[in-house]
Amino acid sequence: MTQDLPARMLRLLSLLQTRRTWSGTDLAERLGVTLRTIRRDIDRLRDLGYPVQGTTGTAGGYRLAAGADLPPLLLDDDEAVATAVALRTAASGVAGIEETAVRALAKLEQVLPQRLRHQVTAIQATATPLPVPWSTGPEADPTVLATLAAACRDHEITTFTYRTGNGVTGRRRAEPYALVAATPVWYLVGYDTDHDEWRLFRVDRLTDPTPTGHRAAPRELPAADAAAYVAARLATSPARYTLHATVPADAETVRARTWSLPGRVQPVDETTSTLDLAADNPHHIAAQLLGIDLGPTHAIHGTPELAPHLERLGKRLLRAAHALTRQDDQSKQRAEPDARNEPAGRRQT
C-alpha cells in the first residue's frame, strides 16, 4: 500500500540523507510509487528548503546537496540519541567546539521526545568523560575535520598542505580513508597518490583541504581497521626517548597498567612480558612506568638521556612520600597523650 504524503516525504528525505546519489527508479521502488510521484515529491522538498539536485539521464538521479540555509534534519531515534550524547561530551581535541556543541545540544533537546531524553540522560550518567593530564595536546580545526570526513565518506581525492614533524611543508594529494581520534590527536588515514603508499597525517598539521571532485574506488587497508592501522604506525614511529624492559607480569596486565598501544607489549610466557615505550616527552614514559613493577634493573635498556628525567621525577615522588610520612608521625604524636605528664591515677587502666 502506498504511504500517505507526510510519511512518504519523511521516508524520501531519510533515503536522500543516507546515500550520495539515488536514481529515480531506486527511490520509486523503495517507496512503492511511480517516477512521476517521485518528481513531485522532490519538488515539494525543494519548496521546503531542501537543496535536492537532479541529474540527467533516462531515469534521472537525485542527491541532497549543500544549500545556502540549513533545512531541518531528519534523524531516527538511534541517530538522535547518538548525536545528543556526542554533543554533551563534545569531541575531544577539536578547537572551539565546546560552546558550539552546547548551543546545538540546546536546540536538539528542545525537540527530543521524552523517551529519548531519558535514554540520553541514562547514557550520560554512566559514561561521563574523564579528563586526564596527558590528554592535552594540539587541537584540530573543526572545519578541516568536516571537509576530511566528507571526503572519506565519498571516497573523494583531496589535496591539502601538510607540515611534517621536521617542519617541512608541502602540498599533498591523497585518497582519504578514515579519521581516527587518538586522544588528543586526530589522524587522517589515506593513500598518498604521489608516493603510491598508505600514509598517516596528523590533522593539526594539515591545512587547506580541497576536494578535487574525482572519486576513487576504496582500497584495501593493510590492517584490520583504521584504528589498528594508526596504532601500529604509532607503535613503530621514532621518538626522542625509548625504554625497553622485561617485566614480571603477563602481557594483558602490563598493557592495562601502562596504557600501551597494541604491539608495544609482547608476551614472553604466562608471567613475563616485554615492554617498549617511546615518547618525545619523558613525563609520558614516567607516567606509564608508575603502574608496574619493572623487576631486575639488568632487564632495562633505552635512551641514556631519559635517565636524569626519571631520576628527577623519582626524587619528587620521594619528597612527597617523606612529607606524608612526617605528617602521619606528627598526627600520631598529637593523638597519643604524653603519659609522663599525666596524673598517676589517669595512667591506670
Side-chain angles (χ1 to χ4, degrees):
M1 178 182 293
T2 303
Q3 306 173 67
D4 59 35
L5 179 59
R8 191 177 71 242
M9 294 285 289
L10 288 175
R11 176 61 176 155
L12 173 59
L13 180 58
S14 178
L15 290 172
L16 290 171
Q17 290 177 341
T18 59
R19 186 188 295 181
R20 183 177 177 88
T21 303
W22 283 87
S23 71
T25 302
D26 286 343
L27 290 173
E29 290 179 355
R30 288 294 189 98
L31 297 175
V33 296
T34 64
L35 281 172
R36 184 179 179 182
T37 300
I38 290 295
R39 287 192 288 269
R40 286 201 300 263
D41 288 348
I42 291 293
D43 288 337
R44 292 188 180 101
L45 286 178
R46 289 168 177 162
D47 291 340
L48 291 172
Y50 292 94
V52 182
Q53 295 180 346
T55 61
T56 58
T58 304
Y62 302 97
R63 64 187 295 265
L64 193 60
D69 300 309
L70 181 67
L73 296 177
L74 180 65
L75 302 175
D76 62 26
D77 286 5
D78 290 343
E79 291 168 341
V81 170
T83 301
V85 171
L87 288 172
R88 282 196 176 189
T89 56
S92 174
V94 182
I97 199 173
E98 293 85 358
E99 182 181 347
T100 307
V102 170
R103 294 200 308 268
L105 177 62
K107 294 177 181 179
L108 178 59
E109 289 193 333
Q110 270 189 322
V111 297
L112 275 182
Q114 194 64 31
R115 69 180 189 281
L116 298 185
R117 292 187 186 185
H118 290 323
Q119 291 184 33
V120 172
T121 301
I123 295 173
Q124 191 67 24
T126 56
T128 302
L130 176 65
V132 291
W134 52 88
S135 68
T136 57
E139 293 183 325
D141 185 326
T143 303
V144 171
L145 277 175
T147 301
L148 295 175
C152 291
R153 178 198 62 199
D154 300 333
H155 309 294
E156 188 169 1
I157 298 173
T158 303
T159 61
F160 50 85
T161 300
Y162 190 71
R163 174 177 52 83
T164 67
N166 297 327
V168 179
T169 301
R171 199 68 179 167
R172 301 295 185 90
R173 186 176 186 273
E175 299 171 8
Y177 182 86
L179 287 167
V180 175
T183 306
V185 181
W186 283 80
Y187 292 94
L188 169 68
V189 177
Y191 192 84
D192 190 320
T193 57
D194 292 330
H195 295 86
D196 198 25
E197 63 180 0
W198 287 94
R199 289 287 180 93
L200 194 61
F201 303 98
R202 279 181 46 162
V203 176
D204 59 290
R205 296 176 182 168
L206 188 156
T207 56
D208 191 27
T210 306
T212 63
H214 299 289
R215 302 178 67 182
R219 296 177 185 267
E220 184 177 355
L221 185 70
D225 52 44
Y229 178 80
V230 172
R233 288 293 302 270
L234 294 181
T236 57
S237 61
R240 182 174 181 181
Y241 302 102
T242 61
L243 183 141
H244 175 86
T246 300
V247 183
D250 64 274
E252 183 177 354
T253 298
V254 175
R255 275 193 291 267
R257 293 183 177 178
T258 60
W259 321 290
S260 292
L261 291 167
R264 290 290 193 184
V265 180
Q266 298 295 334
V268 176
D269 53 40
E270 293 182 354
T271 59
T272 310
S273 308
T274 59
L275 171 66
D276 286 289
L277 299 178
D280 291 328
N281 188 333
H283 289 208
H284 293 170
I285 292 181
Q288 289 180 280
L289 293 178
L290 290 176
I292 57 172
D293 178 7
L294 286 175
T297 57
H298 65 78
I300 301 173
H301 309 278
T303 308
E305 291 78 12
L306 178 63
H309 294 285
L310 297 181
E311 186 175 1
R312 282 195 295 270
L313 292 171
K315 288 179 178 179
R316 293 176 190 173
L317 293 175
L318 283 174
R319 285 196 295 270
H322 292 159
L324 291 174
T325 301
R326 290 194 299 270
Q327 176 184 314
D328 186 51
D329 291 341
Q330 292 170 358
S331 298
K332 288 180 180 178
Q333 290 175 3
R334 288 193 296 268
E336 297 175 0
D338 188 351
R340 293 170 299 180
N341 297 328
E342 291 183 359
R346 292 185 60 185
R347 290 199 300 267
Q348 297 177 356
T349 59

